[in-house]
Amino acid sequence: MQSTLGIGLIGLTLLLTAIALYISGHKRWSLLMYVSFLSDGFEVLTDSVIGMKNIDMAFIYTIVILPFSLLYEKNHQKTEDRTLTILVLTMLGFLICSALFSFQYYKFTPVQILQGGRYLLLFMGYFFVVKTKREDVLWVVDKIWKVTVIVSVLYILEVFFDWSLLSYGMEVRKEATTGLSRYYNSPFYLPLCIYLGIFTPRILKTRFRMPGLIILIIAQIATLGRVEIAATFLMVLLGIMLKGNRTQVVRILFVLTILYLPMSEIIQNRFTGTNNSELDVKAVFDGSYKDLTQRNISNNGTLTYRFAWVYERRTYLDTRPLPEKIFGLGLISDSQFYEVLSRYHFHLGLRDPNTGMPLQMKTPDISYGNMLTMLGYGGGTLLMVLWLYLAVQGFRHRRDKPFDVLLFLLITGYIIRSFSGIVVSDPGNLIVPFMIYSCYELADKKKKEENAHEDSAY
């Protein structure tokens, strides 16, 4: 009991420190801690280490800092993007309606609704992170890169030597095609940091950018995730095309070639071995994934399984009344397993350790299924509009300093990667893109001010 309480105090201390730092004006360190909460403690200060759920810490931080910021902070960064603000407020309005619907229609208790839906409110951090000064955003991003490089070293050692260096609560399994263990605790910001190292190196305050970049790329390959690897390297190639800098193109291709040679066997085996990508894609296009919904299986990790998971929930919703289609299966978590299992009986899903039954509401395997169950067609569409709006704005600002093409690549890669993960279905993952976008807006504002000054001079 004492050890548990002691570890719990670590999380509480971190949370109170982050809040105190923000209120006292030390926003840099506070926002870095906030980003840590949103990414499970950078895979180091995980829930089991600090004795609290990082998602709860992020939620409490958001609901405490938000009113403080609205009352006491001015927007130092940019003129307000009214369209984005309207989208954020519309999403908030939908979630309020969804909570009321869950209470009235599904008869869930307020505690159940809060427990099941609290993570969906994390995007509200928008209203204070976009007020962050440009130099503070750059400082936070630089620190994200450095922390991710360090954690990537630990992750690489973990994968190649089977050393449990990072806190991990899932079962580790050997990949038959590569002979390596598959660990799912890779640093969350790996793709972001790879794009930073390649396309916006001037942001990074380090003399070791190239060694760090090599470490990040090796760590990305070590994830052994086909969709994750393909999406990241596809975005690198797309970024090279958009940047159009021939010298940089040659340099990047040279580095990628050097890295590919020793890792080529691992990559080829991962994409051509058992349950290979070609068979997965074929199953998706010919619809054979639907057959899995009739079997009582858990998770085989393939794209076929992921599409089947979504299909099973979608076919259920298609038979339900219109309000359920709009709002989904209700704001409740799988931890309320008796309540959930009394309503839903899906065959596909990870096994609940308490009941041995498939988890009904969420999956770690595909974002679009979680959006369908937790948000319905209405909320899922709104959330995707938010992501796509930021992607479009990132493309429009692809030549603006300081982040250039970074935002567009990051979000486009997220959307692709969400066929094998939950990055897009967790609104808290919008926070770092919001911060980056605020810097693009600052660049626009400064240009307008400079043009206005030049006009007045004439």
Side-chain angles (χ1 to χ4, degrees):
M1 180 67 180
Q2 289 180 349
S3 60
T4 303
L5 178 61
I7 295 176
L9 287 176
I10 295 176
L12 182 60
T13 301
L14 289 172
L15 175 60
L16 295 177
T17 300
I19 293 173
L21 285 170
Y22 194 101
I23 293 175
S24 63
H26 298 83
K27 290 181 63 172
R28 290 182 173 185
W29 283 103
S30 179
L31 289 175
L32 182 61
M33 295 175 74
Y34 184 39
V35 169
S36 173
F37 301 157
L38 293 167
S39 60
D40 198 21
F42 291 114
E43 300 300 338
V44 176
L45 298 174
T46 57
D47 299 351
S48 59
V49 172
I50 64 177
M52 289 181 66
K53 290 186 177 180
N54 275 278
I55 192 70
D56 289 338
M57 294 165 66
F59 175 70
I60 295 171
Y61 181 99
T62 302
I63 63 174
V64 171
I65 298 301
L66 179 58
F68 170 82
S69 180
L70 292 176
L71 290 173
Y72 298 108
E73 284 192 305
K74 293 182 180 180
N75 194 336
H76 300 288
Q77 188 73 324
K78 64 179 181 61
T79 54
E80 183 180 16
D81 182 334
R82 293 183 180 179
T83 302
L84 182 56
T85 301
I86 289 172
L87 288 174
V88 171
L89 289 174
T90 302
M91 188 69 196
L92 176 62
F94 176 87
L95 288 176
I96 292 173
C97 292
S98 183
L100 293 174
F101 180 76
S102 295
F103 180 74
Q104 292 289 339
Y105 185 87
Y106 287 117
K107 306 301 180 183
F108 297 154
T109 68
V111 172
Q112 289 174 329
I113 294 169
L114 181 63
Q115 183 187 44
R118 67 196 187 284
Y119 78 98
L120 295 172
L121 290 168
L122 293 177
F123 70 96
M124 293 301 292
Y126 162 80
F127 287 106
F128 55 84
V129 297
V130 296
K131 295 179 180 180
T132 309
K133 294 179 180 179
R134 176 181 177 179
E135 55 268 26
D136 289 340
V137 173
L138 296 178
W139 184 91
V140 170
V141 170
D142 175 65
K143 295 303 179 288
I144 290 174
W145 192 86
K146 290 174 180 175
V147 171
T148 302
V149 169
I150 294 171
V151 177
S152 293
V153 172
L154 300 177
Y155 181 73
I156 291 169
L157 294 174
E158 189 174 60
V159 171
F160 286 95
F161 296 98
D162 271 334
W163 296 344
S164 298
L165 300 175
L166 299 172
S167 179
Y168 194 56
M170 295 181 65
E171 181 181 353
V172 178
R173 60 186 177 88
K174 284 277 187 181
E175 289 289 345
T177 55
T178 64
L180 296 174
S181 296
R182 182 87 182 270
Y183 287 84
Y184 294 89
N185 57 346
S186 62
F188 176 78
Y189 295 109
L190 257 180
L192 168 64
C193 293
I194 290 174
Y195 308 148
L196 279 168
I198 294 175
F199 299 112
T200 57
R202 62 189 174 277
I203 292 174
L204 306 175
K205 308 300 182 183
T206 178
R207 298 178 181 179
F208 305 102
R209 179 182 67 90
M210 190 56 66
L213 180 58
I214 292 172
I215 289 170
L216 294 169
I217 294 175
I218 294 174
Q220 184 66 77
I221 295 172
T223 65
L224 303 180
R226 290 172 294 177
V227 175
E228 290 83 352
I229 295 171
T232 300
F233 286 94
L234 180 63
M235 290 305 101
V236 169
L237 295 177
L238 180 59
I240 291 172
M241 293 171 58
L242 292 175
K243 292 280 285 186
N245 186 320
R246 293 183 181 179
T247 302
Q248 187 180 41
V249 168
V250 173
R251 186 185 302 120
I252 293 170
L253 290 178
F254 176 75
V255 172
L256 292 179
T257 302
I258 294 299
L259 288 176
Y260 174 76
L261 292 176
M263 306 288 287
S264 59
E265 185 175 355
I266 293 175
I267 297 173
Q268 290 175 8
N269 287 339
R270 191 66 189 104
F271 280 86
T272 61
T274 308
N275 294 328
N276 62 59
S277 302
E278 183 181 349
L279 293 177
D280 257 351
V281 173
K282 182 178 182 297
V284 168
F285 279 99
D286 67 18
S288 60
Y289 64 85
K290 299 175 184 179
D291 298 337
L292 289 182
T293 61
Q294 304 305 316
R295 307 174 195 169
N296 190 21
I297 66 173
S298 55
N299 178 13
N300 61 10
T302 65
L303 192 63
T304 307
Y305 163 83
R306 295 172 188 130
F307 271 77
W309 196 100
V310 178
Y311 175 76
E312 186 178 24
R313 274 72 176 172
R314 196 209 77 191
T315 53
Y316 170 82
L317 275 180
D318 287 348
T319 65
R320 305 301 297 169
L322 180 61
E324 292 188 34
K325 290 183 173 69
I326 294 174
F327 293 104
L329 306 184
L331 298 182
I332 191 170
S333 73
D334 280 303
S335 62
Q336 303 288 327
F337 44 87
Y338 292 120
E339 179 71 37
V340 172
L341 290 175
S342 69
R343 295 175 177 274
Y344 308 116
H345 309 283
F346 301 117
H347 294 97
L348 300 180
L350 293 176
R351 300 293 177 182
D352 185 283
N354 296 298
T355 65
M357 300 294 292
L359 296 177
Q360 305 290 297
M361 299 297 295
K362 291 188 69 178
T363 176
D365 295 302
I366 183 167
S367 287
Y368 306 106
N370 294 339
M371 293 164 69
L372 189 64
T373 58
M374 298 299 294
L375 295 169
Y377 290 110
T381 300
L382 284 174
L383 184 55
M384 281 307 303
V385 168
L386 255 176
W387 282 108
L388 291 173
Y389 178 81
L390 282 174
V392 170
Q393 292 302 105
F395 184 78
R396 288 184 58 208
H397 292 273
R398 65 189 181 278
R399 293 184 178 88
D400 289 352
K401 308 301 181 187
F403 287 105
D404 299 338
V405 74
L406 182 70
L407 182 63
F408 173 70
L409 297 179
L410 180 65
I411 295 179
T412 304
Y414 277 175
I415 292 172
I416 296 173
R417 290 173 63 223
S418 285
F419 285 100
S420 66
I422 59 175
V423 60
V424 168
S425 61
D426 283 3
N429 295 328
L430 284 161
I431 295 300
V432 170
F434 283 154
M435 293 171 66
I436 293 172
Y437 179 53
S438 70
C439 288
Y440 287 129
E441 289 298 298
L442 176 64
D444 277 356
K445 183 179 178 182
K446 290 180 71 175
K447 287 178 182 177
K448 292 175 183 177
E449 290 174 349
E450 290 170 0
N451 291 337
H453 185 268
E454 291 176 1
D455 292 340
S456 64
Y458 288 103

